[in-house]
Amino acid sequence: MTQKEQQQLGQTLWKIADDLRGSMNADDFRDYMLSFLFLRYLSHNYTESAKKELGSDYPILSEDDKRTPLSVWYESNEEDIPDFEKQMRKKIHYVIKPEHLWNNITELARTHSGDLLVTLENGFRYIENESFDNSFQGLFSEINLNSEKLGKTPTDRNKKLCSIIQKIADGIADFSTDSDALGDAYEYLIGQFAAGSGKKAGEFYTPQQISTILSEIVALDSQEPATGKKPKLDKVLDFACGSGSLLLNVRKRIKENGGTVGKIYGQENNITTYNLARMNMLLHGMKDTEFEIFHGDTLINQWDVLNEVNPAKKTEFDAIVANPPFSLRWEPNDTLAEDFRFKSHGLAPKSAADFSFLLHGFHFLSKEGTMAIILPHGVLFRGGAEERIRTKLLQDNHIDAVIGLPSNLFYSTGIPVCILVLKKCKKQDDVLFINAAEHFDKGKRQNSLNEKHIQDIIETYKFRKEKDRYSRKVSMQEIEQNGYNLNISRYVSTSQEEEQIDLRAVHAKLAQLDKKIEAAQKAHNEFLKELGLAGI
């Protein structure tokens, strides 16, 4: 499917969502819409694999037979079902019962069957608890099919679900249904729902343009970015992963370059967003063994994978990306002061956890890895505990680049933000500053970066270019002289120099003008005299 067709599919599905949700809150409807799209993907993938597995035994039904071929096979081969499902688990890592397949669900919707609601509920529970060997427990926990938002009575809710499912089925019918197409449509819908969610969008979505910058940066060779992308990333982490788009973007950059990614890891504290991320991974054709998404609080560090005290057994990542909540209030305490993530640098103040998120990720960065994190500008210049942390990171030569972005790029906030790039293997004894604050396309509600803006940032970072009023390599000596303040405008000012004025030339010009005025006035008075009028 071409990029244009993928966009058309996303737009078609968005129009369906916009038409159908009626008075329902966009955030609530998002969960229904994306869950049905996910079920559609799982079913299509499962059916295609079943066809290959069963070969000539796969039933071929007439057009007027509305049963699913698999349900027919199940009825005729009851004793072979366990072996078939075991084989399917080996091949595509999950099983879906025939009655829960999308084609059966859409037929129930088409005929307005009273069984639709119950069948859907059973299907969602089966997928959560039994479909996958690796449990996807609670995957549909935010989908309440008995919610009054769908209708006041079970009959009303059933009717609403019939309408939604039929429209989605019709909307998808004319498009390719491979994982890339549906995955991109899913991403498009997440972006559209984010655009209408205001501040809530910050909980689950990083705009694609910013996601691209972070992904490209961490995909580059850590010691020599100018040589291009790494051939392999063993482990990738986003500890505030939202819907998972940043992780998927890193994977895409590496794979487009012919490289490979071992496993991607994400952590998310919001249960709804956590479920979106898990669906997003599968919708992009990832096997459940290729990713791990954990539900929990990053700052408390509840994830066993990241809680190994023994340094020899510590999990480390080749690439870390993150867009954590900006200036989140938190509760630092004596226990956290001794935490292995913060002990060497100190605790961030309770008014802003920005450096706590940064230090959390940095602790798990491998010696040859790159970390790119989005933070508010305050981390660059605020004093107190943040100044001490910033100073330590600079003195240890771990801050590689500071990239200033324009304001109003995010759905959740209008403030300008920056990208900090950190490494443990940094060679240069300087920091690259990129001031891209004035390079954007202005929009009515939100600004955006076009392809050239994005490419300029990436190329400047990649080749460590210096450009007047845009980028500069600043020595550690100069940064030290500035009290380890990283305020971007101190090092790369975008203001134009005032034109030097030659006062002597201006004075001579004014004197000349005075003479002309005096001569003109004299001539004018002569005319007035001839007319018998008083002079001026």
Side-chain angles (χ1 to χ4, degrees):
M1 184 187 269
T2 65
Q3 189 172 356
K4 187 178 179 182
E5 286 173 328
Q6 287 174 349
Q7 190 174 12
Q8 285 175 340
L9 172 57
Q11 289 169 347
T12 299
L13 289 167
W14 173 246
K15 188 176 184 310
I16 292 168
D18 213 26
D19 290 344
L20 285 175
R21 74 179 179 88
S23 60
M24 192 186 295
N25 181 287
D27 290 339
D28 292 326
F29 192 80
R30 176 196 69 207
D31 300 329
Y32 294 105
M33 185 80 183
L34 296 178
S35 294
F36 292 145
L37 196 59
F38 178 62
L39 178 61
R40 168 67 180 81
Y41 164 73
L42 286 182
S43 299
H44 176 78
N45 194 38
Y46 189 77
T47 300
E48 290 302 305
S49 298
K51 280 182 189 176
K52 291 177 185 175
E53 183 62 30
L54 295 176
S56 58
D57 290 336
Y58 188 81
I60 299 172
L61 307 180
S62 62
E63 281 189 24
D64 58 346
D65 191 336
K66 299 302 180 183
R67 295 176 299 171
T68 61
L70 264 183
S71 66
V72 174
W73 186 87
Y74 266 56
E75 287 170 12
S76 306
N77 299 275
E78 200 171 328
E79 68 284 355
D80 296 326
I81 292 172
D83 287 340
F84 167 74
E85 291 185 347
K86 185 177 179 183
Q87 195 61 19
M88 291 299 282
R89 287 187 192 279
K90 277 186 185 176
K91 292 209 167 180
I92 60 168
H93 295 246
Y94 67 93
V95 165
I96 296 184
K97 294 295 184 184
E99 62 269 27
H100 303 146
L101 289 169
W102 179 252
N103 283 357
N104 187 56
I105 296 296
T106 56
E107 180 58 20
L108 292 176
R110 188 186 69 81
T111 57
H112 289 265
S113 169
D115 293 334
L116 175 65
L117 199 151
V118 174
T119 306
L120 261 179
E121 277 189 319
N122 292 338
F124 283 162
R125 298 296 84 80
Y126 184 86
I127 292 169
E128 284 181 330
N129 301 315
E130 298 182 60
S131 279
F132 296 85
D133 285 335
N134 292 338
S135 174
F136 276 78
Q137 194 169 0
L139 190 62
F140 299 101
S141 61
E142 297 299 289
I143 310 301
N144 182 4
L145 296 174
N146 287 304
S147 169
E148 288 198 2
K149 292 171 183 176
L150 284 170
K152 289 190 175 181
T153 67
T155 303
D156 291 339
R157 293 193 281 275
N158 205 78
K159 186 177 178 182
K160 180 77 170 178
L161 287 169
C162 286
S163 179
I164 294 171
I165 290 164
Q166 266 190 281
K167 287 283 187 181
I168 294 173
D170 292 342
I172 290 176
D174 295 331
F175 293 94
S176 164
T177 49
D178 57 53
S179 62
D180 284 339
L182 276 179
D184 287 344
Y186 189 88
E187 286 279 344
Y188 178 88
L189 286 172
I190 288 175
Q192 290 300 107
F193 279 115
S197 296
K199 290 186 178 181
K200 287 186 179 180
E203 295 176 359
F204 63 86
Y205 191 69
T206 302
Q208 278 295 321
Q209 47 210 302
I210 300 167
S211 176
T212 297
I213 296 169
L214 267 70
S215 304
E216 286 282 355
I217 285 173
V218 300
L220 293 170
D221 185 87
S222 301
Q223 291 201 13
E224 300 291 344
T227 60
K229 292 186 175 73
K230 292 179 179 178
K232 183 181 181 184
L233 291 174
D234 188 37
K235 294 183 181 73
V236 182
L237 171 68
D238 182 346
F239 52 79
C241 71
S243 57
S245 61
L246 253 173
L247 284 168
L248 288 165
N249 220 332
V250 176
R251 177 176 176 264
K252 181 181 179 182
R253 305 290 154 190
I254 294 293
K255 288 177 79 70
E256 278 178 349
N257 199 47
T260 58
V261 175
K263 191 170 183 178
I264 62 178
Y265 296 77
Q267 181 165 358
E268 177 52 45
N269 198 32
N270 180 296
I271 183 68
T272 304
T273 314
Y274 160 67
N275 288 333
L276 281 181
R278 294 193 291 173
M279 290 184 201
N280 208 1
M281 298 296 132
L282 293 166
L283 257 167
H284 279 83
M286 294 191 71
K287 294 176 181 174
D288 57 337
T289 53
E290 295 176 328
F291 69 90
E292 190 170 338
I293 309 291
F294 179 76
H295 176 232
D297 189 329
T298 296
L299 296 178
I300 298 173
N301 200 19
Q302 302 165 317
W303 196 1
D304 288 344
V305 168
L306 303 181
N307 227 334
E308 179 54 62
V309 179
N310 185 345
K313 294 181 179 178
K314 180 177 74 171
T315 304
E316 294 187 327
F317 299 87
D318 304 317
I320 298 177
V321 287
N323 176 21
F326 299 153
S327 299
L328 181 76
R329 290 191 67 84
W330 73 310
E331 296 297 331
N333 54 43
D334 292 342
T335 304
L336 284 169
E338 293 301 312
D339 190 289
F340 51 76
R341 298 168 296 162
F342 310 130
K343 194 172 182 180
S344 300
H345 296 80
L347 289 173
K350 64 180 180 181
S351 59
D354 302 310
F355 268 117
S356 298
F357 284 114
L358 183 150
L359 292 172
H360 170 88
F362 188 68
H363 177 78
F364 299 104
L365 185 66
S366 71
K367 293 284 188 268
E368 299 297 318
T370 303
M371 174 177 168
I373 180 171
I374 302 169
L375 294 169
H377 274 255
V379 300
L380 303 176
F381 53 78
R382 288 192 294 243
E386 291 180 295
E387 182 182 349
R388 290 192 292 275
I389 295 169
R390 185 172 62 244
T391 300
K392 168 75 170 161
L393 288 167
L394 285 163
Q395 287 175 339
D396 291 345
N397 201 27
H398 290 322
I399 297 180
D400 183 44
V402 180
I403 303 169
L405 297 176
S407 60
N408 208 27
L409 289 178
F410 286 79
Y411 298 115
S412 52
T413 179
I415 64 169
V417 298
C418 64
I419 298 171
L420 285 188
V421 183
L422 298 102
K423 295 178 181 177
K424 294 180 179 177
C425 60
K426 190 175 159 224
K427 284 183 176 179
Q428 300 90 348
D429 189 26
D430 58 39
V431 176
L432 175 67
F433 284 82
I434 300 175
N435 193 344
E438 295 186 0
H439 299 256
F440 61 92
D441 290 336
K442 190 164 183 60
K444 284 185 180 178
R445 291 197 304 167
Q446 191 177 3
N447 298 328
S448 62
L449 303 178
N450 63 37
E451 202 167 314
K452 185 181 185 307
H453 298 144
I454 295 168
Q455 209 52 42
D456 283 347
I457 292 172
I458 294 165
E459 291 294 303
T460 302
Y461 172 79
K462 183 176 179 180
F463 297 105
R464 227 166 173 78
K465 294 178 186 175
E466 291 189 287
K467 183 180 174 184
D468 187 42
R469 298 178 64 246
Y470 187 74
S471 61
R472 183 173 159 236
K473 291 181 286 189
V474 180
S475 70
M476 288 305 303
Q477 184 181 3
E478 183 178 344
I479 292 171
E480 184 181 358
Q481 287 169 354
N482 277 298
Y484 297 100
N485 186 314
L486 295 179
N487 197 344
I488 299 169
S489 57
R490 281 196 180 207
Y491 306 102
V492 184
S493 174
T494 58
S495 61
Q496 295 275 21
E497 282 189 27
E498 288 187 21
E499 189 180 344
Q500 293 293 321
I501 298 170
D502 187 337
L503 293 177
R504 282 191 176 84
V506 171
H507 179 72
K509 193 173 181 181
L510 288 171
Q512 193 177 13
L513 284 170
D514 270 346
K515 286 180 182 178
K516 285 182 179 179
I517 291 168
E518 190 178 341
Q521 188 176 8
K522 189 176 179 181
H524 187 67
N525 281 338
E526 287 295 326
F527 289 127
L528 291 173
K529 188 176 179 182
E530 287 177 19
L531 294 169
L533 298 171
I536 56 171

